[in-house]
Every structure is written in structure tokens, then in C-alpha cells.
Amino acid sequence: MRILFVLLFCSVFTVKAAKFSQSDRINLNLTDVSVPELFEEIRKQTDYSFFFNNEKMASLDRITIKMDNALVSEILDKVLKGTKMTYTIVDGVIVIVEEGEQKSNEQALIEGTVLDAATESPIPGVTVMLKGSRLGTSTDFNGHFEIRVPDSRRTLVFSYIGYETKEVTVDANKEIKILLEEAVLDLGDVVVTGYQVIDKRELTSSIASVEAKDLDIVSAISVDRMLEGKATGLMISNVSATPGAAAKVRIRGGSTFTGNQSPLWVVDGVIYEDPVPLSADEINSFDNVNIIGNAISGINPSDIAKIDILKDASATAIYGTRAANGVIVITTKRGEVGKPRLTYSGAFSFVRAPRYSDFNLMNSKERIDVSREMYEKNLGYTTNYDNVDRLGYEGALMNLWDGTYTFNQFQDQVGSLESMNSDWFDALYRDSFSQLHSISASGGGENSKYYFSMGYDNQIGAENNVDLNRITARSNLDLDLRDNLKLSFKLNGSVQKGTYNHSSVNPFDVAYYTSRTVPIYQDNGDYFKQSQLILSESGVNYYAGYNALQEMDNSENNITNKDFTIVANLRWDFLKNFRFTSQASYRNTTNLTEEWITEDTYYAAKLRTYDAFEDLVESNVDKSSMLPFGGVYSGGMVSQDTYDVINQLNFNKVFGAKHVLNLNLGQEARSAKYWGATGFTVPGYNHYQGRGFIALPSPSYAVGDIEGGLNYDYEAMFDWLTSDGGMSVYPNVTDRVQNTMSWFGIFNYVYDSRYVLNFNMRSDGSNTFGQYERYKFKPAWSASARWNIHNESFLRNSQSIDELALRASYGIRGTMPNASPYLILSNYGRNQAIYYPENTASLSQFPNANLRWEKTETMNFGLNYSFFGGKVSGALDYAYSKSTDLLQERPVSLVNGTAVQLYNSGSKDVSSYEFAIRTINVQNKDFAWSTHLNFSYDKDRVLEGFEDGASQNLTIYDYLAGSIYREGFPTNGFFSYKFDGLTEQGLPNFENLVMEDASAEEQLKAMLVYEGSRVPMYYGGFGTQIKAGNFNFSANFTYKLGYKTRLLKLYNGTQNLPLPYENMHGDFNDRWRVAGDEDNTNIPAISNNKLALTSSTEADGIDRIYMTNYGTVAPIGSTLWWMYDNSDTRVVSADHIRLQTLSLSYNLPEKIINPLGIQRLNIGIQGSNLSYWAFDKDLKGQDPDQVSGIGMPSLPTYSLNLNMNF
Amino acid sequence: MKKLILILTVATLFSCNNFLDEVDQDKLIPEKTDHYSALLLNEFNYNYPLFKTVDYMTDNVTEDPAGLDSRKLSNKTTYTWQREIEIDENGKNISSINNSWEYMYEDIAVANYVIELVDDALGEEQDNNYVKGEAYFIRAFSYFNLLNLYGQPYDVTTANVDLGVPLREDIGVEITYNRNTVAECYAAIESDLLAAIELIDNSSGPLSVWHPDLETCYLLMSRVKLYQEQWDEVITYADMVINKAPLSRISESTPFVTEDNPEILFSFYATSPAFNLINYGTTLTEASYRVDNKLIALYDAKDRRKDAFFLGIDDGTGKKYYRTKKYERDLYTSLGFANFRVGEAYLNRAEAYVQKGDVTNGINDIKSLHSYRLSDTSSQTYPTSQEDALAFVLEERRRELCFEDHHRWFDLRRMKNRPEIKHVYTLVEENGTKLGTETYTLFPDDLNYTLPIPIKERQNNPLIRNNERYEKIPEVNEEIILDKSSSTN
């Protein structure tokens, strides 16, 4: 690791020979102690050192001894009496030997100098121990040491932090020279913070590490999708199965309301920004899926060596104002000295298409049964619906009534409908395959090391047309220019191209909501197109044919992400203890989006207002046709550039062998810029005729127009030019810049490898701070400590405890305000030219000159443990985070010129409990078995949110979606309407619809019931690995508990009666049918009652339902049916355990592959996301992680993978 | 790559402040003088936050007895001086009726930002000075309006304890504000006006009649002094207006407020008018509120203002009722619906003279005004005693300034002998059936002369003290309904 080592003093035990005398008298009062314990007591009182065979001494009987004012020799004589042991004292060292063994009165003096192998400069403070004993010393300032050892054993062990430990057997009385090689710490022994590399055993912070081998979901191309359940404190939601969709990532519940709650991604010391500046709402919302790409879209998981998840303040304070949501640091692979190594890994995955059996939907027969009931109950549609195509049972009835069909034909028709069972899932989805390949070469010589890789990934989505291709490349080069000057370059880039369906088509909704009695194809194999209304004018209805497949065949949505990063890092060791490091990086991402749909679609027909061109209605062309010819094209481009320079000066010194001091001062300047134009939408697009546009014809002067005005043939088309945003030819221009300048300091002190103190501080100035605050450099700081109990003398001899360390940290970190500190104008220009011969401008936003960063204080207590030679290991953490000054829109006095202002006024806290354990149950040459478990519990709570009576800015949607911040509730707490059973007519009933004189606030309180959190409070993973011979088997599970989810909607839109082409949820099979059913079911009757809410007291209770505070407590235009979907009866517990992966792999025997030139060949199969066990049976097949409107949840995937080393 | 070099430089020198001053380019962050000017023009001038139902509270407005309840209801709370004006009888929220508070403070906030920032704007210093002066004027005028709508009426003896309105003179955001005293408010207004005068004097001057000039500031200052009964200063500032700008003759047939009219110092409020009397309803007879005929009766037959200001409409029975033309573009104004006019300077000075006992000079000012307002002044008689002269001047003020800005209501508030005002409200059902009448009275010493602080302000700012107001209990007369029931018998 070349980034930056913090040289820490390694665990040493040195015996300083001070003054000692045989006449020293000591007092002993020990009960039932082992002999070595007795010796330790003597050592403490006298400064004598002991030299003995531990095993033999430990086998002696335990003793009880009480002696006052005794000579050491008296004690030893007494203790060793009858043990066949004897002792000699040489230079303050008491050597215990077996009687009969050659008495080693002879002493050998060994002296020498320890030098750095590369520079040949002396190394002070090197521990020199006699092997197998506790006898030792350390080198002085000139690297010189002297040690007297018994003549019989002369193997010395030299160790020093940062260097390889060396064992040397030496001849006595000879000056020797020892050369120590600088050690490259194994990645497993360090954690990487982006600014520092820290020895795990000196770590004071709460950092969870994920090794490359644990990133084992072979079918995933993005690392965020692999991390679920892998580390404590890290909560991942894979909300969508769409290739390229970003997972929602939270570390310890996040720490902001309005800002981005996602953690910061850092790759090899470089902060990665998202390619497109999505709003915090878009990123945070669990109802929104991001396929645009996120910060790490271009990182190939096979290039990753390690991931460190920085959780507490001590770990993240160094990131200053970006740190409060935690930081995820990715370290990529580097070259190692040795022969070139070529590695290939590949994987093929298969995803089974979703089927009707995965969902609880009606089949044709059940659906016809609903229609029959509607007919029998004489229920008609309350909205205008002309069943033009005579679809479904209703269509058959119409045919019967108007004489088209005889009764027999009618019955035949119904019979064929009942058995039609169109398979929409089959038509819109497919079994999909994906392949991942990566090849890398690494190696290195004396002065350079390299790692090159290239990867190609292709994922074919389960949804038709969806396809993702990615190429990644990386080159990491480390050069040793001189002995004290190292330079490394990192270059990486990627291109990811995703093809998706047009945003107007949602195949999941089509499959989910379309009746299975609607045919997909006509008899001749063409698509069956349903007639859907496109224009209703002067009593004439115009229809166009709709089939989702036709839309999908004639449209496309492309998203391309390119990124390119270059990093240069220089390390210069100068003087004796100083090191200067400088890192400059540049990263560019480009996001290109393109979406088109041709004229041969319903989408275009709707804009055209007539179906086919042959159907052209002359008068409509001018009046209503926004798209008289061609299709629609829209596109956009956003580019992001980040420049970053970090300079660090490091001072490292060892004082008196036990004190290690490390001081880092650094400074960083960073500029991140976004620019681009998105969302322009252009009509007249001709895809299949050379991808051009049909330009608008030039206007002509009308014949006979007296005023000579322009005459234009396509007036309605001008709509594209008249608005900004939406369906408009004008793009939104993005041009943003965020500049930050920072100072930081890291102070580290280790005493005797037992006590570690750490202090971090960082101060940022940014152009995004309010103008009163801009130049106030904001300090983020942390202080932390660690106590390595295992290095204390009382545990040092313990065979069972390898590591036992307590950690504590406290610190303050921040979040940049997610708001502009400037006065912003809009509509600047000659707007009121008829009044003013001048420009006018409107106020778009008041600045808040006092805007400050959001602040999070975190306290963390942790315990690391490792017992029995690493057989049982893990960590326990408790953290308490309190975030204050959270920005929220809060009501303020109107005297400020506005009734709401973003204000640093909110606060929340999170208590996190984390526990991780890994056990190695069996470890033999041919068989190994290990298990692991991690558990996290985040209890987050809003301390100051929106107060009662001041919720003007909250809508009911915020309550239902869980985006309110209310005191005492979790930040993702959500509410539902309180369902009050079904009426005697089988209609839904709700409590407190009418509360005269109640304020909206009071009524909301009465009508809504608190459900719980939308995000899991308890989460984690567990699994097991078994290695038997050449076989490896592993199973990994994840679990999420303590949260709730809303069932998928029963009602599509506001229509209560299903239209003939609409399917219904299987729950309707348990619907209310006859009076009395209300006692047994909560599923409402099939009804044509509109149940639309109104504020009018004259409501009839059938079509219109009176309620108070209409418009606030329920949105305008809503119905009781909508309310039902959002009621507590449609909320279930989402607790579940998921079988994340099941893998089996086989290493081919070397004797077979070696002749082929292959070092290692591993073949594996894996099933991922195979199954889940949900605790709430009401989910009935709905994946608990699925959210309405997002589409397909994760699907079972089967993979075959191959890894080869040459 | 230039940027990288810059950062490297910055990194080493660490003194380049510009790095932290860069801004997003996809938003218009004002930097040129004209950006600020454009903001002020739109925020204050075009969208002048008039308290739109202010005239309904005066004796200039009465109801249409035949007007349907459903049409009249939305203005009833102010027309009948209800204790709470933002909630109608049916409990419906009509908070927009009391939104002047919010919008005036918005203008003040804009002015505060302009004052804070415009000095650094890219432009000529003289232009910056003007825009800054304009912002001071807007702040002064907004506080003047707020104070006289929501503050206690001025009383020299208690002004430093009476509650005015909260003063916010910087750009810091506070969650709550306390009300300053009336005296503090007037002091702030005067200091802003003096600042405006100094800046505008050292500036390139207004671009057009849509921006205040020096005389506008003097005129507002004379008004501010008049309200505080500082008669000498009223005369001083009115003189500065009168010496600079002439009166002009009014005509019944052509709009009075035009760009060419030298009497118009400053025109504002060009957005949708408070009263669109002509176009209100589908037919002319559907007006729910109309001009009180007692006001019409105050105009002499030779007074051109009657036909210049009002439109007489036959109500179908041969009787005429009137609506104001002051909110009609191209009938009265071709500029804004509110104006600073030289005429007011004469009225301010006349009142000050009379108050000081100088009846002759006072009446002379009225005569000067009359010579531009009446077709013939020869038959006019003018009072001679101070008491009569004062009443006459105030009546003249009502004639001249009715239905303009907040004038009549503010004048009523500061009067020593306020009239008792009665407003009759007829309850008329949708089908035209009259159910009865309610008569409300605004007493001379009525607390309801001061508006309630908006409910939203009281919700958001628990510290604000509301004004005490009376519940208004009407005298109910159900004669009409009795008539109806007797006739059906």
C-alpha cells in the first residue's frame, strides 16, 4: 500500500535492565497461582527478567505462597524445590533450566545494528527479542543494540512496525548487521479512510470492512447491490431489478431531512460525485428508482480489493461537511512484486422471468366472475367508457343485447374468455441472461508495480427491451522513483450504456393491471390493439389502438454514462521523520440520455388526436394536433467535472521506544461542476427514416387576409414552443459549481501499543454557505481513544485472547446545506412591456444569509474481540448520533417576507446497536467451516420536526409516504387512514371523516393511524462457508425487521368498478358479496359508487361523500376507494429473511490444470435472491421490498462462474 | 485544465477569495444594477400590495341591496368590520383578504436585499444610487402602509408606547418578531425617506414615471409629517413638490393619469385592480358594492371630478348609482392604478396651514386645486373659520383622493372627529329573495379602525401581539321577510 502509511509502533515487550541486586527483598502473598504468574510478580517488584520454557513452567502445580521480606533466591529455592528445575541469575536475568540440562552459565553477548534494507539508514526502536523467551531489548537512536543471551539459544527476532519481522540465528560475540525490509501491510490488517491507512489494531473508530471475497454476488455489476447484509450499520435496499438501478444506501439511518441521505463514496482517495445532480428527494425517496446512474456506476466490482465503511465521527470527521451520512471507501487492487499474474473471471447468469404465480392476481375466470356479478347487481360504469372493442364479459353482453350474438354465441364467447388467460407477463417479460467478464494483469519488479484490468458486462433485463452494457478499464501503476520518492498513477474509465423502455410504458403495470381476458395477439398474429380514447370533442370521441408491445417495439430510452478518472499521487520522505504527500485528481462523468417514440404508437396518436394518418380529421390538425407528423424525441446531457488537490505533511516519531507520535497536516481544494442541458423534447421525429426530423413548413401569407397576417397550418403544434419544461422544446440548463477549500489535521499517539489517542480536525469553507457564513471555516473534529486490553500484562500470556480492545470516540461533522444561499430571480426580461419599457424580474427565492451546515455529533463505544487464534472474532458497537441544525422548511414570521424559510431548525437522533461475530468452527487442511452473523439496530427519532399547527407545507401525501418529520417519530415513519370496516353495503368506512369545527391538524390526527417505519430498524445478515477438499460451499442470508409496507393497490386510479380490460387483485376473490360478509372480510364489494369526497354538505353519500377539511385531510379529487388503498388494512409488516446467495464452487486439482499453464481454476454455481420468508401472511406473494409504482422487485438469479489464474 | 492550475495555485497560496465566490450559472443571481431595478419594478410597482378591500371599510362604499349574498359574502368581513376578517360566516378561510401584510413585508425584504447588495452591482455608481434610493423609498412606503393598516392610529402623546408594526431592516431571518412602537416606525420611515432623498439626489434619476423621483419622496414625506401633525414640516415638504411640479386640468372624457400629465409624479400598481367595477358581473346591474351616493353628493355640479372619477349607471328604476372609474384603464388612467399626484401636496399643505390657523393660505391652496378641477370656480364659496376650513379641507381631500391607494381609510383613522359609519348589509338568497337587513356601525372611537394581524402571522409568530377589536353585532331588521310571509298569506 502506497497511499500513506501512518507508521505506528508495533506491539513490543521490552525489558529494561535497570539496577538489580541479589539482596533485593520482596513481599509475596499469592494464592493459587501458576509459576509464571509468580515470576511475573517477582519481575514487577524487582526488575529481574526471567527466561524459561513456558510449557514446562505451566505444567508445574499451582502454588500458594506467602513470604515477607524474602530474598528472590529464597523464593526461587522454595518454589523450585522438587521440580527438577533450577535457576541461575545472569545480569539480572533469571534463567530457569531443568536439572541435568547443561547449565547455561555461559552467556553470549550479541550486538549489532538494525538498518533499513532499502536506505541502509539505522532504525531506532526496533524490538529485539530472544526467540521463545521474554528476553529482549530495543535499538537505540543509532539502530544499535546489545543483548546477553544464554549461549545455548541464539535466535533473535527483530520486529518493527512497517517492516517485515526477521528471525536471525547469530554467532555470539560478533557484531552483526540486520537489514529490515519495509513491510507491505496486508490489506486485511489495515483500514483505509481515504486520507490515511490505519493498522487495524490501532483503530479508534467504528469502521466495518468488507473484503473482496465477501463481494460474492456474481450476477451483480455494481457494488452497492452486493453490500446488503455484509456490514453492520449499513442498510441497503435493492428496490428494483432493473439493470443499472441504484440501490438505496444508508449508514446508521442517515443524518439529514432535506439533504441527500446517501453516504459519500470514495474510491482510492477520490470523492465520487453522482453523474447527475438529482434532487435529494429523488435520491432519498423509496418510491423513486434511479436508473440514471450513481457515483459508483463505473466501478467494476472485480477491481475492488476492499471496502471500508466509515460510520462514526472519528472515522468521517476528516471529510468535514460531507461526512455526516457516513463514508464508503473503496480500495482497488494494486500490483504486487512478483511474476506477472493474469486473472480471468467470468460469470453467466440466468434470471427466471416473472410469472403470474409470483403475484396474487385474478385469472380470466375469476375476472369474468366479477363482471358477471356486476351484471347481476346491475352496476354500470360511472365514468364514460365506450367498450368500443366489446372487450370482456361486458363486450359479450353488448353483442348479445344488440343482436350481434345469439345466446349460444354469447355463451361460447364467455366460455372462451373464461379460459383465455392471456399471459401478459410472458409477453412483456423474458428469461434473461447476463454475462460478466473481466481480465486483469498484475505484477511488479523492484521499482514498479502494476495492475491493469478490463471488464465487459452485459445484462439483459427481465423486462423486454431492457439491456445494459458496460466496459470498464483500470490501470494502477506504482513507481519507486528514488528510495524516498514514490509516485503512483491511477487511471480508470468506463462506459455504461443502458437501453430501457420509454417512460410512457410501464410493463409491470401493464402486466399487473391488464385483464387476462384481453387478447395480446389477433388470430393472424398481429398485435391486438385496444381502442382508447384520445380526444373527445363536440360529442365525437376519437380512439386510437393501444397495445403495450406495439409501444415497446416503437420506442426506446437510452442512458449512457461515461466516466474517466485520473489520479496522481506523490510521496516524498524527507529529513528523518517527515513525509510529504500530494494527490491531484480529476474526474469527469458524462451522462447522455435519449428517448424516442415513433408515430406508430398510441402515445403519438394521443398527441396527434387521430389514430392513423388516414383518419386525419382536417379541423383537428390546427386545433388540437400537437404532433401532426412524426414521433417525439427528447434528450439531454449532463457533464460533471471534479478537480481535487490534497497536500499532506506527515511527521512521525518514536520517543523512548514506547511513545509513537504521528502528526498530519493537510489542505485540500476541490471544485465540482455540473453543466448540461436536459429535457428538451422535439416533435416530428422520424426514427426509421434515417433518424431525422420533419421540420415545420414555413408559414405562408394567407390569401385574402386583409392585414396580411401569417397563416400557419399546424397551429396546435406551437404548444411545444410556448412552455418551459414538460412537453417543450426548451431544455433545462444545468450549470452549477461547488467549491470547497479545507484544512485538516490528524494527530495520533500510541503508548506502548496499549493506548491509542486520536484527534482529527477539518475545517471547510464553501461557496454554498450563506454569505454571512462563507468564509467561516467550519470545524469538524473528533477525538477518540482505544485501549488494547490484550496488550496489557495481565492478558499478555493468555492463550485464548488475541484481541480485546475498547474504543470510544466523540466528534462533530457536518452536511452542506442543500439550498442556495443567494437571492435568485426568475423571468428576467421584458415581461410587462405593455406597461413598462424596462425589464422586470420576479423573486424566485430569498436567500437565507444565516444558512449553516447541518451538524451531527456522534458518540461511539465499541469493543473488538478475537479469541482462540481468531476462531471467534467480531465487534460490538453502540453509537449515539444527534443531528442538529437540520435544514427544514419551517414557518417563520411573515415579517421575513415569506411564510416559510429553510431554517437550520430540525434535529434528530439515532441510537445504533451493532453486533458482528465470525466463527471458524473447523479449520483443517481439507475441511474448514465458518459462520458469521451481523446485526444492526438503528433507532432513529425526530427530536424537532414540524410542530403541530404549523404543517402548512405538508400534504397528506407526505404523511402517507412517510416523508414527514414529526417529533417523536422515526424519520421514515408513515401513516394510514384508519379503516373502520365495511358498511352493510360492503363499502369502505373510515373514522372521523366529518369533524365539524376541527382544524385540519386535529382531523388529521384523528383520521390517521401511525403505522411505523418504512425502513427496517433491525437488519443484517448471516451465513456459513464450508470448504471441503476442493469444494467451497456458502450460504448467505439477509434479514430486515421492524418495518412495514403498503400492499400493492387494489384500485387503479380512481375508477372503482374495473373496466373490462382491467384485471383485479386476487384479494378481490375474498370480496364482500352479500350482506353479512362485512363481518368476515375487509375487501370491499364490487360497486359503482363513486364515493368521491367533497366539502359540500349536500353530498348524497353514494357518489359524493361529505368530509370536513377536504383538500387538506384528503387531496382534491380523491375517493374513499383511494383512501382504502391508503388505509391501515392495506399495510402489512414487511419483516423478512432472504436467502441472498447459495454458492458452490470447485477448485480443479492442480495436477490437471498445471500442465495447461493454469495456476488455479475455479468453477462455481450460485443462486442469488432465491427465496424469502416473510412473516406477514397478508403479503400473499408480494415481495416485502416491492413498492407500488417501481415495478419488478428483485428476481431469483442463477449463475455459473469461472475464475482462472495464469 | 486551467481550473486545475488555478486550484493548485489556490492550494498553495490559499489567498484567492474568488474561489469561494463562484456561483451556479443556471440560476439568475442578480449582479447588474438592472437586475435589482427589474426586481423592484415587478415586486413593488407592478404587484403593489394594496389592501384590496380597504375602501369597503370606508364611508365611500355601500352595498347593492339587491346583490346576492353569495356574491357579497367574500367582502362582508371587511365591509362590516368583523373582529376576524379572514374567516367568513360559513367558516370558510378567506385569508387572501388580509395578505397585504405578507406582501408588504415581502417588498420590504426585497428592499432590504437590494440595499444590502446593490452597491456591489455591476453598473454606474449613479444608477446603483438610484436603485438603492428606490429601495429605501419602497421600504419607507411599505412601512407607512403597514403602520396605518395594522398599527395603532397616531397619537402624539402615546406614540412611543402604542404598538406599530415589526421593523426588519436587515436580511437576517428571525422566526419571531415583536412589534415596534408607532414612534419607532415613523422614525424608521422618515430615516428611510431621507436616505432615499439623498441617494436619488446623487443619482441618475428615475428612468420613467414608474419610478419615484425626488418630488415623490418629498410628497410622501409631507404625508408622513401630516399624519404626525408636524405642520411646519408638512408645508416645507409640500412646498418642495409644488415649486417643482404643476397641477393639471382634469377632463371627464380623457384619462387623467397619463405619461404626459406633469401632475403625475409616480405611478404604480399596474396589476389587476382592486375594483373592476365596470366589468364585474355579467351585466352592469350585478355590482354587489357601489359608491355611496353621499360621496357623489359632495361633488358640486361644476366639479369635473364627478364624471372623471365615476360612472353613473341606471339601476333600472331610473335611479342612478355610481361606480368608480379610478380602477379603469383608459377611462381614468393609462398608467397604474395608484399614483403620487401633485394635487395631494396642495391638500397636505392646505390642511397644515389651517391647522396652524392660517386659514387664508389654506383656502388658497384649495382654490388653486379647484381651478384645475372645476369647470368654473366663480360661484364657489369658501369657509372662513378655522373649524369650517378644516372640515372643508378634509372633505376636499375625500373628493380628490377617494378610491386611490389607502387614502380615505387612512384619513378616517387620523381624524380628530371621525364620523360614525353605518353599513347596511342585505341578506339576499340565490333566488333573489330578501331575508332581511343587518346594520353594522363603525363608531368614531372604534378599535376596529386597526386591522387584525393576519392569522398566519399569529400562527407562525407566537410573539406577535394582535390588535384588540370588537365583535360586531348587527342590528337585524327582518321586515322584508315579514313582508314576504304576509304577502304569501
Side-chain angles (χ1 to χ4, degrees), chain A residues 28 97 139 197 372 380 387 448 563 573 973:
Chain A
L28 282 181
V97 289
T139 57
V197 176
R372 197 176 278 129
N387 194 350
S448 64
D563 86 281
D573 294 302

Side-chain angles (χ1 to χ4, degrees), chain A residues 8-73:
Chain A
L8 297 171
F9 203 41
C10 128
S11 161
V12 289
F13 167 48
T14 56
V15 180
K16 281 272 173 169
K19 80 171 176 44
F20 36 78
S21 150
Q22 300 224 10
S23 60
D24 270 351
R25 288 176 179 276
I26 55 172
N27 299 325
L28 282 181
N29 186 3
L30 299 170
T31 310
D32 191 29
V33 294
S34 65
V35 175
E37 281 168 331
L38 170 76
F39 290 168
E40 176 65 21
E41 184 59 32
I42 296 171
R43 187 186 70 80
K44 274 188 194 161
Q45 292 193 30
T46 62
D47 282 339
Y48 277 116
S49 296
F50 282 83
F51 178 56
F52 55 86
N53 182 311
N54 216 348
E55 243 168 72
K56 283 195 175 130
M57 285 295 120
S59 68
L60 296 177
D61 293 338
R62 295 175 79 82
I63 50 172
T64 298
I65 186 164
K66 184 174 184 333
M67 290 175 86
D68 288 335
N69 207 20
L71 284 168
V72 173
S73 52

Side-chain angles (χ1 to χ4, degrees), chain A residues 1161-1173:
Chain A
L1161 177 58
N1162 177 281
I1163 299 172
I1165 52 169
Q1166 184 183 66
S1168 60
N1169 193 31
L1170 291 177
S1171 181
Y1172 58 83
W1173 296 272

Side-chain angles (χ1 to χ4, degrees), chain A residues 210-222:
Chain A
V210 180
E211 307 290 331
K213 65 177 165 53
D214 294 326
L215 300 172
D216 58 356
I217 302 183
V218 298
S219 59
I221 65 163
S222 174

Side-chain angles (χ1 to χ4, degrees), chain A residues 584-586 643-645 647 667-671 673 733-743 765-768 771-772 774-775 777 820 822-826 828-829 832 835-850 890-903 905 949-950 952, chain B residues 1 3-4 7-8 10-12 14 16-30 32 34-43 45-47 101-102 105-106 109-110 113 116-117 143 166-168 170-177 207-208 210-211 268-271 329 335 454 456-457 459-461 464:
Chain A
S585 65
Y586 167 73
Y643 302 86
D644 190 301
V645 176
N647 294 308
Q667 161 270 313
E668 178 169 5
R670 173 180 179 79
S671 171
K673 185 171 184 175
V733 173
T734 302
D735 187 350
R736 297 182 199 168
V737 63
Q738 189 176 70
N739 292 344
T740 315
M741 213 181 283
S742 325
W743 287 104
S766 168
N767 66 333
T768 56
Q771 67 196 72
Y772 285 178
R774 195 170 314 153
Y775 292 105
F777 284 75
S820 168
Y822 299 100
L823 180 70
I824 294 170
L825 307 186
S826 58
Y828 176 70
Q832 311 294 347
Y835 304 120
Y836 307 120
E838 297 163 47
N839 291 317
T840 61
S842 313
L843 177 71
S844 166
Q845 189 194 315
F846 273 124
N848 185 340
N850 299 325
R890 66 155 296 152
V892 291
S893 168
L894 309 184
V895 171
N896 294 299
T898 170
V900 279
Q901 175 72 277
L902 267 180
Y903 219 86
S905 64
Q952 295 97 323
Chain B
M1 279 299 137
K3 185 79 146 263
L4 191 64
I7 295 178
L8 277 167
V10 165
T12 35
F14 216 81
C16 183
N17 282 343
N18 296 340
F19 186 62
L20 296 186
D21 287 333
E22 281 191 43
V23 294
D24 294 350
Q25 296 299 310
D26 57 359
K27 299 175 187 79
L28 177 58
I29 297 165
K32 293 194 288 189
D34 190 51
H35 291 149
Y36 293 103
S37 178
L39 178 63
L40 290 179
L41 189 63
N42 191 63
E43 283 291 313
N45 191 313
Y46 183 66
N47 290 317
W101 171 280
E102 181 172 359
Y105 273 114
E106 183 177 313
V110 167
Y113 277 105
E116 175 96 7
L117 301 170
Y143 275 127
L167 291 174
R168 175 181 184 242
D170 57 24
I171 59 175
V173 175
E174 307 283 340
I175 294 170
T176 56
Y177 284 89
L207 277 172
S208 66
W210 299 102
H211 300 273
F268 53 106
Y269 186 27
T271 187
R329 194 160 279 120
L335 296 173
K456 204 167 178 189
E457 175 70 45
Q459 280 173 348
N460 291 7
N461 178 6
I464 200 92

